[in-house]
Amino acid sequence: MTETDAVKLTNITKRFPSVLANDNINFVLKKGEIHALLGENGAGKTTLMNILYGLQRADSGTIEVYGRPVSIHNPNDALSLKIGMVHQHFMLFEPFTVIENIMLGREIHQCGVLDRKKARKKVVDLSESFGLTVDPDSYISEISVAMQQRVELLRILYQGADILILDEPTAVLSPQEIVEFGAILRKLVTSGKSVIVITHKLKEIIDFADRCTVVSRGKVVNTLSVSDVDAHALASMMIGHELQAQVQSHKNAPGPRLLSLQNIYAEDDRGHTAVQGVTLDVHAGEILALTGVDGNGQREIIEVLAGVRKASSGSILLRDQEIQNYSPRMLYESGCANIPEDRHKDGLVFKFTVAENIALRTYRNYVEGPFLRFDKMNHDAVSLIQDFNIYPADPMHAVGEMSGGNQQKVIIARELVDNPEFIVAAHPTRGLDVGAASYVQQSLVQEKERGAAILLISFDLDEILQIANRIAIIYNGKIIAVKSASDLTREQLGLGFAGIAE
Amino acid sequence: MKKRNLTRTITLVSAILLGFTAGGIFLFFSGYSPLRALEKLFLGIFGRPRYVIWVMVRAVPLVLTGLSVAVAYKAGLFNIGAEGQFIIGALVAALVGYHVRLPMVLHIPFVFLCSMIGGAVFGGIAGILKARYGIQEVISTILLNWIALYSNNFLLKFPGIKRPDSEASFQVRETAQIDLFARFKTSDSWIPFQMENPAIADALKASLSMGVFVAILAAIIVHYLLKRTTLGYQIRAVGFNENASRYQGIPVNWIKSGSLAISGALAGLGGSLHVLGVTKEVSRLAIMEGFGFDGISVALIGASNPLGILLSSFFFSGIRYGAVSVQRDLGTPTEIINITIGTIVFFVAIPYLFERIMLAIKKRKEQKNAN
């Protein structure tokens, strides 16, 4: 035991009713390092960090902080040990300003009156010393997600945290923002902080972590120095077997034009024109990736193509037939499928079973008089569950209790079962672990090879470059470039994200 | 799933116990014995066969308004308008029951049908306002309740509708009345029957009507509607996740309006059963009678489940009816029973609190075990 260990977890075991989430886990965070905690969804990494942060209690095992055995019952105990955590879903108050959010719970006051000046100075000092530039007086509702993340970081620093736990910090960031984020982390550790990053993105680990602990099925597979490994080795450790060869996407010659967006305009929820004259053709047998920084009109295009948002002008042709402002059902019946960007909100009914969710589109096939043949519905679901490797393999299981990857598979099964001609796939692998993500990509490639036209909306550059035939970059509601995927480099894409196309 | 049902049951039982405790405390401080009151309450419900029948008869409108609230709730809507839909159903029943002449086998179903259509139209108005213009159903149904109340009072001003020298409508014709054994009880064989079968005769003294059976049937139908039919599947999908339903092509607006119409039809049927079986007429209403509002509590206690609603209406009607005995024998104020019911509803409505407390207890136990 030396003073260089910030945190030492020994033999941590945590059992939930149905699963052993942590099985004798040993984990050491050295002082001043960025330590990545890598694992698939459900591998037990979040549970382990919740134990360290006092949100859950281990069944057995010990925790030492700076060499001292401690017991952490709640987040307040953790904070007094200078441990702070930023959750995947931010916990900020939108109607409050940045400063107000940061000082919340640790208000500096004089006789009950807030001393904003002092608090402000402290926040500005912190943000300058770590490169966490934010406008302290804007309201949370007005700033971007990346800025909100900085506010979360500032908040735990303001609270005096030395040991930072960050849960999936890059999931919400664009590629450019991820690079900046890496720089911020580096600054934090050089000033003596220690950082644990929970993630399943391999590339980022290689880019900015010092060491990495791989967790699989509740056990530590290995802890190693990042300089000693490559992404491929990490991936196979993480999923416990050799990763299948990368998803192969033959750059086959695309067929005839299948879907055509012509000069589409659409408004966002606030009535601003978010899509400003988008024209795009998608051919049979190709994957066209539509990419760009989030919030440049992608969502509105997705919703127009799903039939849940009206385009204000322009036309959409499917096989030269006008389908603009078709209802979702008419779109489905004319051969369109839609993998929505938000599984929770738009994709699934969490309280329904797997079978009921798969039937959301096709339930009319089971109508018999006024009744619905739930037995037939379950029967059909069983074979889809097998085809799409959905776990648990039970048509009666509630979808809300499944892992993100399996939830996504339920959606994919529902959307692809009828061999659609045109598929909109919005961020289909977001939040999925490597295994599930590559499965989803594989399915899309298969659909493409079958002859479907696919519009993939994503800002995961690896994914785009791997499976797309052509790439369209959207910026400010306009398409600024459409290029063949083989003609584009990551750097060019990055510039495109910033609105610069040569 | 099973565990959740268990917690729910525990929550419900604790809520009921707490409600009774609160009522008991009030009784105690007003100088009455809570235990004697409880005993009287129990005897007032189960003391004689006819009490039980009366409780069932009085539960009928609550079953229907409870089902009404539950169907809307499954579609994610809060129907406060069961009260108004009930009034409309009752009014239609009184009018059709008197002004239309049909043989009994046709007259009764015809009255039911008309009341249900009346209630459905009235509920459907709120549905269309919601679906087309996004007007909150909570607001619109509250306002529609007043429109129903005053329409009732207004129509009862007209000769032809208003029975002369009264504040009420004409009584529905005999062909539309649904009480059972009414003729038997005035026949010659009634007196010897009473001597021979005192228990059954006592039960029959309560005016048992077909309403009880219709209410049970309605609960069974609603159960199948929600669990087995296409419409039920659509209603539940919309109620659980409106966005996903819209994305998948379920006609969300139609389903919402439709479920409010069904909701209205059920409450309307409730009004019809009440008129044909109990009151035989409708009268000018100075205030809302509260059948629809009680329906909200009934649905809440019954967890919006048709079987649960049957039980909770019996419970609800039981303590209301039993309270009369308590009041008669001990001289307690009626407010006490309303405090009790209010407390029960209050605690059922915040199961969240119970779950929190249970979680805290569990945590403390875990910690004890760990140390």
Side-chain angles (χ1 to χ4, degrees), chain A residues 38 62 92 299 460:
Chain A
L38 174 70
T62 58
L92 297 171
R299 165 176 304 218
D460 182 336

Side-chain angles (χ1 to χ4, degrees), chain B residues 210-340:
Chain B
M210 271 193 259
V212 173
F213 305 102
V214 175
I216 293 172
L217 191 67
I220 294 171
I221 291 174
V222 169
H223 172 81
Y224 275 96
L225 171 82
L226 290 173
K227 277 269 143 78
R228 288 272 157 255
T229 67
T230 312
L231 185 61
Y233 173 80
Q234 292 169 318
I235 287 177
R236 286 184 295 130
V238 170
F240 285 141
N241 190 343
E242 195 182 321
N243 276 309
S245 305
R246 182 170 294 125
Y247 244 89
Q248 304 319 321
I250 290 176
V252 172
N253 287 344
W254 278 110
I255 296 299
K256 280 184 166 178
S257 320
S259 64
L260 274 176
I262 294 173
S263 191
L266 286 163
L269 179 63
S272 189
L273 293 174
H274 192 57
V275 167
L276 302 192
V278 182
T279 61
K280 313 287 190 298
E281 61 187 22
V282 290
S283 8
R284 277 178 62 85
L285 298 167
I287 51 157
M288 307 261 181
E289 291 172 289
F291 290 110
F293 298 130
D294 286 349
I296 297 172
S297 311
V298 163
L300 202 61
I301 296 177
S304 294
N305 168 311
L307 177 67
I309 286 169
L310 283 179
L311 294 175
S312 70
S313 340
F314 186 84
F315 172 77
F316 221 81
S317 147
I319 46 177
R320 281 263 161 85
Y321 184 76
V324 178
S325 300
V326 181
Q327 196 186 355
R328 186 190 55 213
D329 296 348
L330 302 182
T332 53
T334 35
E335 283 78 7
I336 302 284
I337 211 67
N338 288 329
I339 289 174
T340 309

